[in-house]
């Protein structure tokens, strides 16, 4: 069944501008899936009948997804993932692929450095980097309990442990300990989460006006103020994103249908000409703002990639949107021989269904210099 779920989520047609080949593949896959589903359903019915005598499952019992432990994990030795998802033409899509519950949180050798920075930011930036509305309190508690008692000690047993009586959570890397019961102040809970993992976390709840951001801890925003998203609905959250209207409705539908245990991942990228992870303005160019071509300092120019996940929380049904941020020096991209490919991707920002992305991502400023460097 896992294989089936994977194919289905991967081929979800969020946008219809992928060209005829995509549709052929999609059509082929859908037909195959229909057949498969029929066969599987038959099997499922049989199984159902043979299970009739068994006691009914209590529907209030929440099934926690199983997590595969990384028994030998050494965070210091873990290299950062190199995400190189460049396409020659930029189309705005959700382009999600299915993700296993085990892969929710990624840890690597930058862990301790990133955590130190996050602790400072949570102190100095306070409400800018974490907050919760009354509607979000139960979901913050649920997320806290899930990460601290289920996910982290199961996935990374060499880093996180529970005390024998399961009342305390120990972070063996930082030496910190926390009660496993969520603090009653949601901001305190978010602060603990924000200094235990380096993923930025947003919780969204469905409302008659669409999904609304009800809580967040976000230390690494890429040119926007995270606190401005608190209490906002999806359209307002993305108000400055060009062509967002093309994917807005599918995103809402997608969020509504997201199933527990069947999370998804996607990534996006931009270029920045500084090394800051915390950036509440800059990176993007707003409508009306002036911008000109600029020279770049090669050793201060990075590809910034967000590895994003979407997960449904089982009890409160909130959607967790999380992302991990990577900064790759453009020198590294070029050294890998991907210079020309990435330059094409930069120019491709203007060529797809969201040409405003070129300006929005700031390519007006750095585009030419970066492409010249990458191709030289
Ligand atoms: C953060 O701001 C809140 C008010 O929103 C205040 O009560 C709290 O003391 C501040 N925390 C820090 C560490 O400055
Ligand atoms: C990724 O996309 C979101 C929204 O579309 C945007 O706010 C964010 O800045 C993007 N991140 C990067 C690294 O481009």
């Amino acid at each position: 069944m896992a294989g089936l779920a994977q194919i289905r989520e991967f081929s979800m047609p969020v946008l219809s501008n992928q060209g005829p080949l995509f549709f052929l593949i999609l059509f082929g896959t859908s037909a195959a899936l229909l057949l498969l589903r029929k066969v599987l359903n038959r099997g499922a019915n049989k199984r159902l009948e043979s299970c009739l005598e068994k006691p009914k499952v209590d529907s209030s019992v929440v099934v926690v997804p199983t997590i595969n432990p990384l028994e030998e994990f050494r965070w210091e030795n873990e290299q950062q993932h190199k995400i190189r998802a460049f396409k020659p033409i930029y189309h705005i899509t959700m382009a999600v692929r299915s993700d296993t519950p085990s892969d929710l949180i990624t840890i690597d050798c930058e862990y301790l450095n990133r955590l130190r920075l996050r602790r400072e930011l949570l102190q100095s930036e306070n409400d800018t980097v974490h907050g919760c509305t009354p509607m979000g309190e139960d979901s913050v508690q649920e997320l806290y309990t899930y990460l601290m008692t289920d996910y982290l000690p199961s996935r990374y047993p060499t880093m996180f442990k529970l005390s024998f009586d399961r009342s305390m959570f120990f972070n063996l890397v930082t030496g910190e300990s926390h009660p496993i019961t969520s603090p009653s102040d949601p901001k305190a809970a978010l602060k603990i989460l924000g200094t235990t993992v380096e993923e930025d976390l947003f919780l969204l709840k469905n409302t008659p006006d669409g999904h609304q951001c009800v809580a967040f801890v976000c230390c690494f925003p890429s040119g926007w103020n995270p606190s401005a998203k608190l209490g906002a609905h999806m359209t307002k959250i993305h108000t400055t994103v060009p062509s967002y209207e093309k994917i807005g409705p599918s995103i809402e539908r997608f969020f509504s249908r997201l199933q527990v245990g069947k999370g998804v991942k996607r990534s996006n990228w931009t270029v920045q000409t500084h090394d800051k992870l915390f950036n509440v303005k800059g990176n993007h160019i707003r409508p009306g703002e002036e911008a000109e071509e600029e020279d770049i300092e090669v050793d201060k120019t990075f590809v910034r990639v967000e590895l994003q996940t979407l997960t449904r929380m089982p009890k409160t049904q909130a959607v967790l949107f999380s992302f991990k941020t990577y900064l790759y020096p453009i020198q590294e991209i070029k050294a890998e021989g991907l210079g020309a490919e990435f330059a094409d991707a930069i120019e491709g920002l203007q060529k797809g269904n969201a040409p405003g992305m070129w300006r929005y991502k700031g390519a007006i400023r750095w585009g030419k210099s970066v492409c010249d460097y990458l191709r030289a």
Side-chain angles (χ1 to χ4, degrees), residues 39 65 117 189 211 339:
V39 174
L117 177 57
H211 283 81

Side-chain angles (χ1 to χ4, degrees), residues 235-254:
T235 318
K236 182 163 174 244
I237 289 174
H238 295 93
T239 176
T240 58
V241 178
S243 307
Y244 177 76
E245 72 285 352
K246 291 194 174 151
I247 55 169
S250 7
I251 293 188
E252 284 290 354
R253 263 196 312 276
F254 187 81

Side-chain angles (χ1 to χ4, degrees), residues 25 32 82 120 132 192 226 228 250 283 295 312 315 337-338 357:
I25 299 171
K82 293 192 190 298
E120 284 167 24
C132 181
I192 293 174
S250 7
N283 291 18
D295 288 335
R312 166 89 62 208
K315 287 196 196 109
L338 297 174
M357 279 293 169

Side-chain angles (χ1 to χ4, degrees), residues 122-124 126-127 130 187 191:
L122 279 154
Q123 188 70 29
S124 62
N126 199 350
D127 292 343
H130 64 323
K187 270 184 75 185
K191 187 170 185 171

Side-chain angles (χ1 to χ4, degrees), residues 108-120:
D108 57 49
C109 55
E110 284 299 313
Y111 178 69
L112 208 47
N113 291 334
R114 293 270 177 108
L115 250 54
R116 246 180 241 132
L117 177 57
R118 295 173 73 82
R119 185 175 331 266
E120 284 167 24

Side-chain angles (χ1 to χ4, degrees), residues 47-340:
R47 240 171 288 137
L48 243 177
E49 280 158 22
S50 63
C51 291
L52 274 179
E53 287 93 302
K54 294 220 174 116
K56 255 199 180 162
V57 178
D58 179 359
S59 63
S60 67
V61 172
V62 173
V63 181
V64 180
T66 43
I67 303 301
N68 299 324
L70 299 173
E71 304 279 6
E72 310 288 321
F73 189 81
R74 291 278 165 271
W75 66 274
E76 315 91 303
N77 300 339
E78 191 68 18
Q79 292 306 305
Q80 279 200 326
H81 290 321
K82 293 192 190 298
I83 301 167
R84 306 286 186 253
F86 311 133
K87 301 213 176 79
I89 296 182
Y90 184 92
H91 286 301
I92 188 166
T93 70
M94 277 190 72
V96 295
R97 57 194 156 81
S98 69
D99 191 29
T100 69
S102 295
D103 285 326
L104 179 61
I105 301 291
T106 312
I107 294 181
D108 57 49
C109 55
E110 284 299 313
Y111 178 69
L112 208 47
N113 291 334
R114 293 270 177 108
L115 250 54
R116 246 180 241 132
L117 177 57
R118 295 173 73 82
R119 185 175 331 266
E120 284 167 24
L121 288 164
L122 279 154
Q123 188 70 29
S124 62
E125 305 299 329
N126 199 350
D127 292 343
T128 306
V129 294
H130 64 323
C132 181
T133 69
M135 244 179 90
E137 291 183 18
D138 57 348
S139 298
V140 169
Q141 277 194 13
E142 181 180 17
L143 180 60
Y144 184 96
T145 307
Y146 177 63
L147 288 181
M148 305 295 269
T149 62
D150 294 315
Y151 180 84
L152 289 171
S154 307
R155 178 64 168 170
Y156 299 104
T158 57
M159 296 177 66
F160 309 109
K161 293 231 179 298
L162 297 181
S163 60
F164 282 116
D165 63 357
R166 292 179 64 86
S167 67
M168 295 298 287
F169 168 93
F170 297 111
N171 184 332
L172 306 179
V173 180
T174 62
E176 288 172 334
S177 57
H178 304 287
I180 60 136
T181 351
S182 176
S184 53
D185 172 11
K187 270 184 75 185
L190 289 163
K191 187 170 185 171
I192 293 174
L193 294 178
T195 51
T196 302
V197 300
E198 65 168 282
E199 269 79 359
D200 286 315
L201 310 166
F202 287 80
L203 288 163
L204 297 126
K205 275 193 176 170
N206 207 357
T207 75
D209 302 321
H211 283 81
Q212 181 185 18
C213 171
V214 292
F216 75 99
V217 52
C218 174
C219 296
F220 302 150
S222 169
W224 39 274
N225 183 335
S227 64
K229 315 291 180 193
L230 186 61
H233 291 82
M234 291 293 281
T235 318
K236 182 163 174 244
I237 289 174
H238 295 93
T239 176
T240 58
V241 178
S243 307
Y244 177 76
E245 72 285 352
K246 291 194 174 151
I247 55 169
S250 7
I251 293 188
E252 284 290 354
R253 263 196 312 276
F254 187 81
F255 277 24
S256 308
R257 291 177 190 165
L258 189 68
Q259 289 175 44
V260 174
K262 292 194 179 166
V264 296
K265 262 198 166 68
R266 75 187 287 267
S267 67
N268 68 351
W269 61 267
T270 189
V271 169
Q272 67 178 43
T273 50
H274 58 83
D275 62 1
K276 300 282 177 295
L277 280 162
F278 172 73
N279 180 8
V280 287
K281 47 182 187 214
N283 291 18
H284 298 126
I285 299 177
R286 310 286 173 198
E289 193 179 327
E290 283 189 31
E292 306 177 344
E293 266 180 31
E294 287 169 8
D295 288 335
I296 52 150
E297 285 178 74
V298 163
D299 55 355
K300 288 202 184 114
T301 304
F302 297 84
V303 185
R304 181 175 183 130
V305 174
E306 284 176 9
L307 182 62
Q308 309 172 336
T309 73
L310 289 170
T311 308
R312 166 89 62 208
M313 305 301 300
K315 287 196 196 109
T316 62
Q317 293 288 304
V319 171
L320 168 67
F321 167 66
S322 79
F323 63 90
K324 168 147 168 160
T325 302
Y326 296 89
L327 286 184
Y328 307 113
I330 55 164
Q331 289 164 317
E332 183 181 307
I333 307 290
K334 189 173 174 176
E336 288 170 11
L338 297 174

